[in-house]
Amino acid sequence: MSIIQVENLSKSFKSYKKAPGLIGSFKSFFKRKYYEKKAVNNISFNIEEGELIGFIGPNGAGKTTTLKCLSGLIYPTSGKVSVLGYNPFERKSDFLKQISLVMGQKNQLWWDLPPMETFLLNKEIYGVNNKDFEDNLEELAELMEVKDVLNVQVRKLSLGQRMKCELISQMIHKPKVLFLDEPTIGLDVVMQQRLRKFIRTYNQRYHATIILTSHYMEDVEALCKRVIIIDYGKKIYDGELTTIAQKFSQHKIITIVFNKQIVRKDIENLGVVKFFDFPKAAILVKREEANKILSQILNEFPVADINIQEQDIQKIIREIFTSGII
Amino acid sequence: MQQYINIYRRLLKINFAELLAYRANFISHLISSCCWTLFQIIWINLLTYKNQSIFGWKKEDLIILTISYVILSGFHHCFLSKNFRELAKIIDYGQLDSYLVKPVDEQFLLSLTKVEYSQLARFLLGTVALIVTLSKFQIYPSLIQILSYIFLMGFGLVTIYSIWLLLSSLMIWYPQINNLVGFLFDLTGVSRYPKEMILKTNNYAIFFFLPITLIAAAPSRYLFNKAITGDTFLLVLECGVLFIISRLFWKFSLRFYTSAS
Amino acid sequence: MRALRIFLLHCQRIFEYRLKSFIWFLAPLMNSIFLIVFWRAALNGKSTVTGWTMSDMTAYYLLLAVASTFLNSHVEDGVADEDIRQGDLARFLLKPISYYWIKFCEETPYRLLQCVYGIIFVLISTLVWGNFLKFSLSIENTILFIMIVVLAYFISFTYKLSLGLTAFWFKDAKGLHSALDVVALIFGGAILPIQLFPDYLQKIAYLTPFPYIIYYPITAFQNKYSINILFQIIGFQFFWLSIMLIFNRVLWNKGIKIFTAAGR
């Protein structure tokens, strides 16, 4: 049985609209107009133990709502959810002791005290025994490289150290399933890389199942083999990251290194010239014609090196969202 | 359950550590709670300055009633009230989720996490004022009466908590009313008035507040030897009923929260 | 024009917070109602020593509910926490209107809304409890009453603004604020009319500015004073307002140096 099973999950919310200006406020004082918003629209997927999955989607796509349904925070409008064999919404203690939901930007650490105090509190809350607590803390602190700041007041820590300690405090019970909502938001590049390394190690070492939502494609590209793309509450792709290009992109890029002088105009009829700075050039061509155009270039031009590549994943995904392909 | 006791012991320690880390803040709050205690004592003394006996209560009995309220509020503000102010912020900033995802009853965590030791000053000053008042008016309650007083004050405290929880759950439905807690302070303050005062007015709208008037009055009566068994029984009953209703409404509100988020 | 825009923007926010505004009003309302009930039971039809009848007392506490919500400014928390401690003050320093007036335009719409609630409450309670508020002021007295209210508002606002400015020096002034709040409540007449205090306490009260913020506006409305006394009250209010303004200036000038030097 898959560790996470989602069947026809849907979730709708009620919201209201207000007209701008003073008159609008006055009107809404007396009457409000409600409308229904479908945040998650009939999503289904299965996740096996030990997978590291990325949820991608623009703002408001329904990623966070789906995550909240999986962790039992939101009651679905319809559909079935099963995590670790439990119905998350029942919020059974045994279930909650095995998961962790980390939403970036939330502060759980007590500000005027060292992070250790919060760790000890969570130890009691999650019922971690002394030996496990020490072992877990030792491993996590080493992985995160924060061993020497555990007893320094949180207010005195840098943002990076604080985020790491927040993460430790929410993982002190070594969860089997980890939900990470925008974990690298607001962090600098170095921190992002360290955090990714930590997530990868945690997944590999403890065979933990991790679902990650992120705006940063670098997170997903670095960590996830499998991604689920969600837009307007619907699942529009569920599979390997590498095959996204094949499925969605209608173009490929041919990169060429010329060994004799040519003019940009010469290659303009082959496709859209994306880049030309002699001796290098890159052309965007239709997927079906790529091979044909490649041999054409080899025949007609003085080529030192030539290569066919998929379009940049980030560009493809951006295109999927902006053009609204469903 | 043992786990909850462990968690609470850790909470008491962590709050004490916070007190030590932020000493100036502690002193400031200590002064503040002393000022408000003095205010209550001056309040009742001014009101009863010219009145020797009102609606069946003697001046000294009313003073003892107000001081009992002060002692109750000392415990309430120390162990409970800060959590309700935090609850307003937690709901406002969308942090309720991190409590719901913990394997422990969220009502327990949200009600007891913060402890304001500085508010114990109200309890201490109140006890001193009580002893002074009792001896000034030469009232000497027996040991049984004192124990009954303490026992009933416990029920009064739980009643206050239940009323606060019941009304604070409304913040889940209307997150913008985070100033509700300020109102709750004044609502609890109604327990300084005895029920006889309300009954005398024949104003049915105010009868709604009668349950609150039992909170401090029923225990106080044991001190000056005018206990009414009916009142005592009613306080215990109301305590139980309100505790259950508040928990049910809290759970119901959470279901709303998790459905609407 | 700019000030008006700030004013209107805050008026708009008020409509969105109708429930919240109502709850803010509930506290003084409850306090007043219960004190009225207390005195009803206590007086039992008799008058108090200094000639305050039950109808006087009822009127006093009803007006207290209106006065304490309208005239008690709450500007000090925003000034201390957001502007000074969090550093938001910086953006005000660049504006062409002085900080004093910006804060004034931010605060006043909320106070006016509370006043509206208060007036509605008073109207409803006259329906419920009968007509206790006899508006028996002559035209001259009415004009003087309005002046007293306006001056009281400015004294209250300036005092609270100055209190907020102490955040330039104190990290946590809760103890100080509480002590002053307690004193202001007692000597402003929030518990009972100052006239009914013990003599020694009355004398102390009149030496503080607090009666001039709450107590005198209420009792002036109740037509308890001759024109001469009204002029005296106004005189004292000008005195206290001047002191508050000077105090405010001093705190501002000294404090702003610390603030900008700290480079927050």
Side-chain angles (χ1 to χ4, degrees), chain A residues 60-217:
Chain A
K63 312 187 296 289
T64 309
T65 310
T66 308
L67 227 54
K68 285 189 180 178
C69 285
L70 289 173
S71 49
L73 283 177
I74 293 186
Y75 189 65
T77 310
S78 63
K80 272 202 307 193
V81 180
S82 160
V83 179
L84 290 165
Y86 294 92
N87 174 355
F89 192 67
E90 283 170 15
R91 287 172 48 219
K92 294 217 170 87
S93 172
D94 290 331
F95 164 67
L96 293 172
K97 280 186 183 170
Q98 300 182 64
I99 69 162
S100 187
L101 171 65
V102 181
M103 307 183 84
Q105 303 284 44
K106 304 289 169 33
N107 303 317
Q108 282 202 23
L109 297 175
W110 288 57
W111 189 252
D112 296 303
L113 298 174
M116 185 57 120
E117 298 279 355
T118 312
F119 299 161
L120 287 168
L121 180 61
N122 280 347
K123 165 183 179 288
E124 300 299 338
I125 291 177
Y126 282 99
V128 184
N129 65 45
N130 291 340
K131 172 123 195 350
D132 286 341
F133 174 74
E134 277 170 28
D135 291 341
N136 294 353
L137 185 58
E138 176 80 30
E139 288 175 28
L140 290 169
E142 200 184 308
L143 264 177
M144 296 283 223
E145 297 160 332
V146 286
K147 274 175 104 165
D148 45 339
V149 297
L150 291 183
N151 286 303
V152 174
Q153 274 187 327
V154 170
R155 54 164 57 236
K156 295 200 181 123
L157 300 177
S158 69
L159 177 66
Q161 290 168 324
R162 218 181 304 147
M163 302 239 62
K164 288 183 195 173
C165 288
E166 289 273 355
L167 204 53
I168 294 181
S169 80
Q170 298 182 50
M171 292 177 65
I172 202 72
H173 55 295
K174 267 240 209 94
K176 283 214 192 107
V177 178
L178 194 55
F179 300 113
L180 298 168
D181 192 42
E182 311 277 359
T184 57
I185 209 169
L187 298 177
D188 63 68
V189 180
V190 178
M191 264 304 306
Q192 287 180 352
Q193 281 177 344
R194 292 229 187 102
L195 194 58
R196 281 178 217 143
K197 180 172 158 212
F198 168 76
I199 296 173
R200 197 181 312 124
T201 314
Y202 190 82
N203 167 249
Q204 287 167 347
R205 202 185 281 186
Y206 305 116
H207 213 51
T209 314
I210 303 184
I211 299 186
L212 151 73
T213 70
S214 188
H215 279 130
Y216 297 114
M217 275 310 298

Side-chain angles (χ1 to χ4, degrees), chain C residues 81-100:
Chain C
D81 295 330
E82 287 149 29
D83 294 345
I84 296 182
R85 294 199 190 110
Q86 282 180 32
D88 287 355
L89 186 61
R91 60 189 170 101
F92 291 118
L93 296 177
L94 299 171
K95 295 225 162 100
I97 318 173
S98 79
Y99 184 65
Y100 182 93

Side-chain angles (χ1 to χ4, degrees), chain B residues 222-235:
Chain B
Y222 280 91
L223 286 182
F224 42 85
N225 207 10
K226 289 198 196 94
I228 305 176
T229 344
D231 277 359
T232 307
F233 176 68
L234 275 175
L235 177 60

